[in-house]
Amino acid sequence: MFGKLSLSVRWLGALVVLLFSQWAAAGPIAIGYMSFDVTSGTTAQFDIANLTGPNALAPDFPVATPLTFSALNLLVTFSDGTNHTFGLSDFTLSVDGMSLDGPTVAIGGTTLPVAATLSGLVGPTSIDPGTGTMMDIDAAFSPVMFGDIHGPALDDGALGVIYVHEPGTVTVPEPSSAWLIVIGAAAFGLRRRARSAALVALLAGAGTASASIPVKLAAASIPSSGVVGVSFVKVTAMGLPAVAPASVMMTIAPTCAVGGPVAGQVVTPASSIIPVIGSTSQVRFQIPAALSQGTYYVSLSGGSGAGAFASTNCSVLNVTTSNTTLNSCLPTSSLAVALGPTVTAYVPNGWWGGGATGIQVVPIEGAGAPASIPTAAIVNSCSSNPSTGQAVCTANTNDVYLINGHTLTNTLLSSATGNAFFSGGGCRNCGVAVNGLTNTAYITVGLSDSASGSGIQALNLATNAFGAPLRLRHIVSENISVDAGRNLLLTPGEDNSYGLVRLSSVGDLLTEFENSTIGGGGEYDSSASDCTTGIALASNEFTSNVSMADLNQASFIPGSGSGIGSWTSPHNVVTLDGSFAAGISGISVAPGGQHMGILTGEFGGQSFAVFQLPATPATGGTVPALVDYAVVNNLPNTPDGASFTAGFDPHTITAYTSPNDGRAYGVIADWAIGTPSWLAVIDLKKIQGAPRIAGTHTVDTSVYDVLASGAVRYVAVH
């Protein structure tokens, strides 16, 4: 029986191949698909695989002409009945140069996506459908629809195939034509029932039965980037036999491992296999934690004997963020930076003392134009999770806004009961920092029944549930930081106690520890830290001093009863050259392995300093110190001719390490018009290496043009 069925499959497969060229011109032609891809426990993406031109997987996706998508309109319906429309600007070009990654939606809360419809155009409209002759098609592809507006929530791998068709023919949004039914039955349904390798060999151009069954992969994974140890991605495979996911071994390596092992490869099993069309399927796997940031090539293999299979090529995968970055300290500040092929800044239009409502979404690396997100209240701060890309922003009220891409997905309310007051203003919600490892946001809040009038509240971003606020004895820092790897939250406050808060392994707030011995001469304003080495810093407002402590050598003394504890460590105060408006106020260290940071003043200042920290952890009581620093006294005028003006509290400055070139950058927002107008993106290494005035740490801008050198560039906020 098995042999007869296998023979029938082979004959039917041959018939499909013989008739394909005739039917392809008469019916809709598959050019790719849109897929709902769950990338983590809290986020998913609507990705588009463009399987044309060099990325074609004939006969399932046969078009030999490279096509380009335009005028995309993606309508997503959520479980609460709301809809959101995404356009082409919400997608990012894949590393294959043809497919599209994103947009991202949150799936950690109760409002979940239940249905999606995609429409748009392709070009050119004269194509080779895989027959060697040209034919005309309509510019509009058939709408792709999947899910149900009445629920349930979309599952990982929900997808719709994208078809083009000849002018004047009926648009078919889902597979229903005669040629597609035949191919689907022959190349997928019957093949899977019979477990036959013969059709696979026929469709994939295999050789003898004794050789491995060849599997062809699309040029890039979907999505084409992710975070090691966190993100799930998929490869599109044609010709994969019917096997259990665990028997498919994914090899991820710096070079393509087809043909045998290569240096640096990591092997991990697939987690699921999802049919697409014909003999094409998605193979899902998690990016192994052993990888680091970089570009990798994915191949697959498995089986044995006559059932052995192996890919004949590789899919490219871009690992944009590593666990080193997730373990790095993420600061609060006015600005948030979300990493990916497109690096995006989230810029509030307000501050503690006023401003306007809304948030500006500004691409600072990659394509795209700035966009506005309206909010009900004035926003003062944003932070983002480097593993999911989700941004969290706080208003001067109790509002907490959750954002994915360009979309405000949820508004929550903190437990603030009053205003916390700082030298730069008052606020109910005052700031936010995200713990990337536990997917937890920490909101600094005003609490009328707290000894300091302030506290911190944890928000679980997987469930959108708040924990009980932690009431602090010492005033919370204007800008806290999270050391996820050490389970610590850093909160140096204006009463000159450098506070630390112990976190649980899942991100809960536990105990406050105080330290009033570090000194600095002013009042602590903001925190920063290089979590790879344990060097913690605090800016000293109204001075040029930076306070430093070594968390790697810290000792903790528990408090008695319900009292807070204390901590000590080797410490130091460094006085910098240069003059900073209102003293050193904003400070940030770029997460990752560059060990570099940036600091600035506030309230109209134009000066900033770049500093280099030690590259290795200290031991034996070694006192922390800066390796080097460079001061720029005046940022140049912005492209509109205006003088650069740094923003107000809570400090319009942050730092990040680029996932695209690996360099450390600082970002400062300009507030010359009363709301943010430009972002200064600063290459920290270039500033550090710039010529200096003899005998000082000051960059000699009379001989070094920071704009012409590329050390500083301006990006419009609006």
Side-chain angles (χ1 to χ4, degrees), residues 50 52 65-70 88 93 97-98 100 121-124 139 141:
N50 184 342
T52 64
T65 305
L67 297 180
T68 301
F69 290 102
S70 62
L88 183 61
L93 193 65
M98 299 175 61
L100 297 169
L121 306 176
V122 295
F141 58 80

Side-chain angles (χ1 to χ4, degrees), residues 9 22 112 170 206 212 243 265 311 357 489 513 524 531 558 629 692 697:
V9 170
Q22 299 177 31
L112 303 172
V170 177
S212 294
V243 293
Q265 73 176 34
S311 58
T357 61
L489 185 149
F513 292 84
Y524 296 148
C531 292
Y629 69 93
R692 303 174 188 179
H697 287 272

Side-chain angles (χ1 to χ4, degrees), residues 166-188:
E166 291 181 285
T169 59
V170 177
T171 299
V172 183
E174 291 298 322
S176 63
S177 66
W179 71 269
L180 183 57
I181 292 173
V182 172
I183 291 177
F188 184 76

Side-chain angles (χ1 to χ4, degrees), residues 78 134 145 157 185 210 216-217 242 292 330 421-422 459 468 477 480 482-483 490 498 564 586 594 605 609 635 675 709:
F78 293 87
M134 303 302 288
M145 298 175 284
S210 61
K216 185 177 180 181
L217 305 181
S292 58
L330 299 177
F421 291 99
F422 307 94
L459 169 62
S477 180
I480 62 173
V482 179
D483 184 335
L490 288 62
Y498 199 128
I564 68 173
Q594 300 298 310
L635 275 162
T675 55
S709 66

